[in-house]
Every structure is written in structure tokens, then in C-alpha cells.
Amino acid sequence: MGSRASGVNRGGCRAVLFRVLVAAACGIVAFATIGSSTSAQQRREREPNSVYAARRAKLAAEVDAPIVLWGYTGREEYSEAAIFAQEENFYYLTGHNEEDAAVVIFPASKSATGGSAGSDGKSEILFLPPKDTAKEKWNGLRMSPTDPGIEARTGFASVQPISELIPTLQKIATTYPEIYTVLPYETEMGGYPHEKDEMDWLDKSVPGLKRADIREKIAALRQIKSPGELLFLKRAVELSDDAHLEAMKMMRPGLYEYQIAAKMVEVHLMGGSEAEGYSPIVGAGPNSTALHYDKLSRKIEDGDIVVLDVGAQYSGYSADITRTLPANGKFTPRQREIYEIVLGAQNAAIAAAKPGSQLCRAGKNSLFKIAYDYINTHGKDKQGRPLGQYFIHGLSHHIGLNVHDVGDSCRPLEPGMVFTIEPGIYIPDENLGVRIEDDAVVTETGIKLLSEKLPRNPDEIEKIMAEAAKKRAEGKKGDD
Ligand code: GLY
Ligand code: MN
Ligand code: MN
């Protein structure tokens, strides 16, 4: 669903529903690595330094003034269970996942004396907090500017203490009329205070230094995934597929929604996921019609339909996958009718998707329109009206470092983009919600579904559920 873009995962420390479970798993990692140079919140994998450096160089070639970005402080969320995760733009450009860092990237254009004006010959500087051994006794090791070999580890030729940031900015202010940074903006969720805090700090520390927004330029880069990002996304999808298969096998009346979610999160974590891509959505019966249902408190009943929108994060990248299941293993005729319409809409969009297609509703190559038209011309509600009115969210969004990834949703698709295809019909009067969501990468000629191994066909789903129920019954008999 596209409508809550940038309202999710905006905290520096991710507030996932299963944070305690996640914290416990990461705690094990931290314990196992005491004494090494790995810090507790380190992601499982990371792209090579050269990849992050190439992204910075690309951006530096697009600007005529220095770019200044701040990472998260680690104090964004006041919770003992919070786990640090870097500000996404900062991570995209540095691969650095620790607190209180900043980066300055000078424009690529050279002055007559070599190097960018005011840069002292440096093309970029990473600023890190000083070594704090007392703090490290609690949190584990962190990188610091005085660590031997810090340049090679971070991929920055210049790594300086964060206290040097103000003098650097003061110098920049004498040479450039403005800097580029990520400016604060208001989202429908009210915005996130990080950028505003940094701008207030800047006003106090370097008064008069103007700034322009670099957000859209970074977002445009983030829309095309690198080979490394594609690998991380594929792993996130694989883990999510595994979790959905487990859910299909265990689903039955009498379980609570949270028990299904707990099993799925366990599959993610045991497979190496560091966190959920977003809070798991498991909504049965009436809850199937709430798009981002989050209470997970219902006891699943015979005859319920259950929407499971659950996706893993792997090495910072999030999958986003939904399946809709009959609680008792067999869709009612009406549930199957609606399910098949949603599946038909998804298949129509999948068949049409190729480079040049658009994810936004208005575009002339809009995939949304294809799915909407399918839904609106198939089936009726109880009053005999077409079903388009019950498809109440967008069809697609990009995925990446954010499950609702950044960038212009009307930008025509290009090879290397990764996005969701997720039609849905939600009829509260019938306690009937159906969503099917898959993740796809754009190829030179079309798209490839990353989540294709996870069945969407209702017969296949019923078969998997029936086989699992049979095994459960046999197991019970064996116990008697
Ligand atoms: N999992 C939220 C969405 O599908 O957009
Ligand atoms: Mn989605
Ligand atoms: Mn989803």
C-alpha cells in the first residue's frame, strides 16, 4: 500500500512490534562477538566500501556546493527495547550503522588550486564520535576516528572527530552561499524531528548558512538497486516466503493472531533477519479489512479469512509480502470469489508490468489503473455495486531500505527497481478482506517476481493447508 509512505520505519531505532524478540536475538549476537570489532546492531552483510563511495561520487557530480548529512544519534526513541538503525540516506551513502556520525561531501567540480573550493584537497570527510571506552563497556565497540585503519574500514580517506564538524562548516560558509542537506518536511504522519533538530543546531552553530534540499536526488539514486542491494532484498523475500509457508501450515481456528505472527518472526530471525521490515499484520475475520491492523489479539475463528502481511528485513532491506488464507483451510464460495478477483487483478498488473510502466494512479502507463479496472469489472457487493470502491489503497510502492521506499512513484519503471504489486478488496459489511502482495524486480524486458515460490493460487494454498492439517491429525493420533 502506498498511502503511508515514509510514515513507517522513520525512527532511528526501529519500533517493531516484536522488538523484545528482536532485541533478544541481537543480544545473542552481541554476546557472541564481545572482543571482536563487531558492534551489537551490525547488519548481517554490507556492500563493499567501493559501492558506497561510488554513490557519493555520483551525488558529488550533481551538485555545486557541499552536501552535509547527519546520521541518527541513537536517542531518537526513548525505549529500552529500541535497536539502533541508521538514518536511511546516511546509510545508503556510507554503509555506516553507528550513532552520532556526520558526513560532508564536496562537489566534484574542481577549483583552480585542485580539490573543491574550501575542501583542503579533501573530497569527503566522515565525522565520528571520539572513543568512549566507558560507554563501550555497556554497548560494545564503536568505530572512532582514532582507530588504527579507520580509513580503510570506513572507505573514507578522511575520518575526523565530530567536534571538527563546526569548524568545517564555518569554513564552508566562507566559500559557499549554501549547503545541500536533507531538509525537514511534513508528511501526513507529522514528520520526523531528526532533520528539524539538525537544522536548529545548524542555525545556532553556523548562523546564516543557507541550505537546499538533496532529498530527491538521493531518492532517485535509491530507486535503482545495486547488485548487492538486490541480493539483500532477495534474501529478505526468501525469509518472508519461508515464514508465510510456515503460517499456511500452522493456520487453524483456535490460534490467536499473535501466535501466527510470532512463528513468522521466529522464521525470519532464525534465518538471519535483524528485524521486521514493518510491524506484522495478521488480521482475521473483521480485522482482515483494516489495512495496517496491529493489535493481533483476536482468537481466529472457523470461517474467518485471515490477511497476513508480514515481511523480513535482511541487512537493512525489507521485503513486503501478503497472503490471505481461509482459517479452516477451505475458502467459502464468497471468499474464493473475492480472492480470485484480487488474484486476477494482480495477474493483470504482473502481465503488463515492464520498463516504462508507472506505479502512481495518474500515470498514462499506470499499473494501478489496470488492477483497478479489473476489480471494478469483476464481481459485485451485496447491493449489486461494482467492487472498485473497495480497493482503497495504492497498488504498488518501491521497497528497499524502507519498506515504503523513497522516490517519485510516477517515475517510469527502469531495470533494477524493486516494487510491490498488491491489489486488495476490503468489504467491512462482509468481514471480508483480501490482499495479495508480491515483490518484483524490473528486468530489461519485463519483471521477475522475487516471491514467486510462495503459492498464490487458492487450490495450491488449500492443498498445503490440508496436507499440514492431515500431518497434525496423524501426529495427534501417534500421541494417543
Ligand atoms: N506492509 C505494508 C504495505 O503493504 O504497504
Ligand atoms: Mn506494501
Ligand atoms: Mn505489505
Side-chain angles (χ1 to χ4, degrees), residues 244-252 464-465 468-469 472:
H244 275 275
L245 265 176
E246 280 304 311
M248 274 180 206
K249 290 179 187 164
M250 81 182 284
M251 176 64 71
R252 57 188 183 274
I464 291 168
M465 294 181 75
R472 261 198 315 274

Side-chain angles (χ1 to χ4, degrees), residues 290-303:
L291 303 183
H292 283 169
Y293 169 72
D294 57 6
K295 292 215 177 349
L296 311 196
S297 53
R298 178 181 169 90
K299 194 172 191 180
I300 298 167
E301 289 180 14
D302 199 3

Side-chain angles (χ1 to χ4, degrees), residues 331-469:
F331 290 100
T332 65
R334 178 62 170 166
Q335 287 170 350
R336 183 177 268 258
E337 182 194 354
I338 296 298
Y339 187 96
E340 283 176 347
I341 293 169
V342 174
L343 184 59
Q346 196 197 31
N347 282 334
I350 289 170
K354 58 175 192 284
S357 301
Q358 289 166 295
L359 304 185
C360 60
R361 298 177 193 217
K364 71 177 187 334
N365 296 320
S366 164
L367 294 177
F368 173 88
K369 198 168 170 335
I370 290 170
Y372 179 89
D373 288 347
Y374 188 97
I375 287 173
N376 209 36
T377 53
H378 289 77
K380 293 275 191 290
D381 69 7
K382 293 289 184 214
Q383 290 75 39
R385 296 173 305 199
L387 295 175
Q389 64 177 308
Y390 299 102
F391 178 19
I392 52 176
H393 54 71
L395 179 73
S396 298
H397 53 84
H398 290 257
I399 57 172
L401 284 169
N402 196 306
V403 67
H404 294 147
D405 217 21
V406 290
D408 174 7
S409 67
C410 281
R411 179 177 171 186
L413 291 180
E414 293 174 43
M417 290 181 170
V418 184
F419 68 104
T420 66
I421 306 175
E422 50 175 311
I425 295 177
Y426 311 89
I427 313 177
D429 284 351
E430 298 185 45
N431 290 334
L432 177 50
V434 174
R435 176 162 70 252
I436 309 172
E437 177 173 27
D438 286 86
D439 301 338
V441 59
V442 184
T443 65
E444 294 297 328
T445 52
I447 62 165
K448 179 170 170 37
L449 275 195
L450 298 175
S451 42
E452 67 190 346
K453 88 162 197 206
L454 186 64
R456 296 181 289 136
N457 179 292
D459 293 331
E460 265 184 86
I461 289 172
E462 286 183 349
K463 188 160 171 261
I464 291 168
M465 294 181 75
E467 279 168 4

Side-chain angles (χ1 to χ4, degrees), residues 279-294:
S279 294
I281 299 161
V282 177
N287 301 331
S288 66
T289 66
L291 303 183
H292 283 169
Y293 169 72
D294 57 6

